[in-house]
Amino acid sequence: MKLKLFAVLTLTSLLTLGTAQANIPFFNNKDETPTLAPMLEEVTPAVVNISVKGSREVRQRIPDMFRFFFGPNGPQEQVQERPFRGLGSGVIIDAEKGYVVTNNHVIDGASEILVTLKDGEQFDAEVIGTDANSDIALLKIKDGEGLTDIEIGSSADLRVGDFVVAIGNPFGLGQTVTSGIVSALGRSGLGIEEIENFIQTDAAINSGNSGGALVTLDGKLIGINTAILGPNGGNIGIGFAIPSDMMEALVQQLIEFGEVRRGVLGVRGNDLTADIAEALNLKANQGAFVAEVVPDSAAAEAGLLSGDVITAVNGEKIRNFGDLSARIKTMGVGKPIEITVLRDGEERTFEVTLTADEQAVEAANLHPALQGATLAPASEGGLAITELEEGSMAARYGLRKDDVIVAVNRQPVSTVSELRNVLDSAQGVVALNIRRGNSSLYLVLRGG
């Protein structure tokens, strides 16, 4: 009896401690035992199940014994379209507009998206925009009525040890709730996504939870459940969620532009280590050490120098270089941000306006005939084909690796955004002016 009473009192103390600012009553059971039910009754209608249908391109290499049927210049692989179905979770962040946030991998390649509410009501949804690098997607429910959204909290306020609740659709069972704590913050270098700044939690997250909500005890969304570490996809108490601050920054761009227009600071470096701090006589143990400032970059123009240690962005602490990189990559082009650095033992603040990120992009998103080509700005001007898939549509049109696109329909292009704008406005046939070595030629594309 004493053990049971101790357990109830301990949980009551923890819940009271974790929700000092909450307005939601937790203790309304008849026997006054603690419960999260009142909070969940308000929050769970905003978490939805997502089912998708579509088809994906599957490539299989043609066995050598059969290639003679196609001749010496025949295809090296066979391409097939195979149907697929998938399940996941999502979170309604704007009931009036019907906006739902989920993971990109939940809806990637889907031609049909069905959103099911907690009460079983179903709606079709369309994709507003996606960002594969951070694994975020924004959907819009069609003709949605009676929707409930969730209040978004600030993930910057989280501390290791804070209590959290994960809500989603594991294994297609239907809405399921699990609880745990924040196990770590700023997890990166996991190889799960290109941009990583995860919240780690031991709240049980399983297959199908992807895109679901990670909420605080007062019912605020502070993460989008994304991935787990575990054998055979099973939970072992190590789950990861995209922080709400990072999600919000990406979603605002998807709403405004339909895509993420990533900003670049223009610094290279590594984590601030004890050795670096000692060598520079710095009274700090966390931050991003700037080894190099890229010439003519946003950082150079603002006055940042090699040897600086970046300790905060917009007043929020930076733990390491990975943390800095993830935060910058979620902010849009042209956004003024405040960078706090340690220099010569003194704290200084700089205002920086991020410039455009012109890294390599998959050209299939720009024009169907460019499928299989990867583009990046060339040092001598134009857009270089840095990668080209053998047998792809772009290869069949005559493009080659290291070709440089210098103009489209006689309009010069030097950035991906310029190429996108020209292709979007082009009607019918598209003529690419290509620089190949020391020669120049035109290739005509169709199917736009």
Side-chain angles (χ1 to χ4, degrees), residues 11-274:
L11 183 54
T12 301
S13 301
L14 290 173
L15 289 173
T16 304
L17 180 64
T19 57
Q21 305 300 319
N23 296 319
I24 303 172
F26 282 90
F27 310 108
N28 65 343
N29 281 346
K30 291 181 179 179
D31 59 359
E32 295 188 356
T33 55
T35 176
L36 294 175
M39 180 273 286
L40 292 171
E41 286 167 1
E42 292 198 13
V43 168
T44 51
V47 183
V48 301
N49 295 345
I50 297 176
S51 57
V52 300
K53 296 179 183 177
S55 60
R56 289 196 176 112
E57 196 176 79
V58 178
R59 295 176 176 270
Q60 292 181 320
R61 186 172 178 81
I62 299 174
D64 293 340
M65 67 180 70
F66 296 121
R67 284 197 199 149
F68 72 92
F69 288 114
F70 303 102
N73 297 319
Q76 303 293 307
E77 57 186 10
Q78 184 180 21
V79 181
Q80 294 180 328
E81 290 284 334
R82 291 187 181 176
F84 74 91
R85 293 173 179 264
L87 294 171
S89 307
V91 186
I92 300 174
I93 60 168
D94 190 323
E96 183 178 346
K97 296 180 180 178
Y99 288 149
V100 177
V101 173
T102 185
N103 287 139
N104 178 65
H105 75 259
V106 171
I107 54 90
D108 186 31
S111 56
E112 297 180 37
I113 302 174
L114 186 67
V115 171
T116 303
L117 305 185
K118 181 185 177 183
D119 62 8
E121 192 171 6
Q122 296 184 324
F123 299 95
D124 290 327
E126 61 182 355
V127 177
I128 298 298
T130 65
D131 182 44
N133 291 338
S134 62
D135 202 14
I136 282 290
L138 180 66
L139 311 179
K140 181 180 176 63
I141 293 176
K142 298 179 181 178
D143 304 319
E145 295 182 357
L147 304 177
T148 300
D149 54 26
I150 193 170
E151 182 179 355
I152 301 176
S154 174
S155 54
D157 296 333
L158 283 178
R159 296 180 301 170
V160 173
D162 284 348
F163 289 94
V164 289
V165 175
I167 311 169
N169 178 33
F171 301 111
L173 292 172
Q175 193 173 90
T176 301
V177 177
T178 57
S179 65
I181 63 170
V182 174
S183 305
L185 295 167
R187 285 292 193 220
S188 60
L190 303 172
I192 298 172
E193 307 295 346
E194 181 176 325
I195 301 173
E196 297 180 342
N197 188 28
F198 292 123
I199 302 166
Q200 182 181 325
T201 179
D202 65 350
I205 297 174
N206 289 286
S207 178
N209 271 112
S210 291
L214 189 70
V215 303
T216 54
L217 293 189
D218 57 353
K220 293 179 181 178
L221 179 71
I222 45 85
I224 300 296
N225 300 324
T226 297
I228 60 172
L229 289 183
N232 304 318
N235 173 66
I236 59 170
I238 302 177
F240 301 102
I242 298 169
S244 59
D245 293 348
M246 178 174 166
M247 177 273 292
E248 270 199 295
L250 295 167
V251 163
Q252 290 304 315
Q253 294 184 65
L254 293 176
I255 292 172
E256 186 174 356
F257 308 116
E259 63 180 358
V260 173
R261 298 182 177 179
R262 220 170 297 286
V264 175
L265 179 59
V267 297
R268 301 186 181 101
N270 47 272
D271 301 346
L272 176 64
T273 64

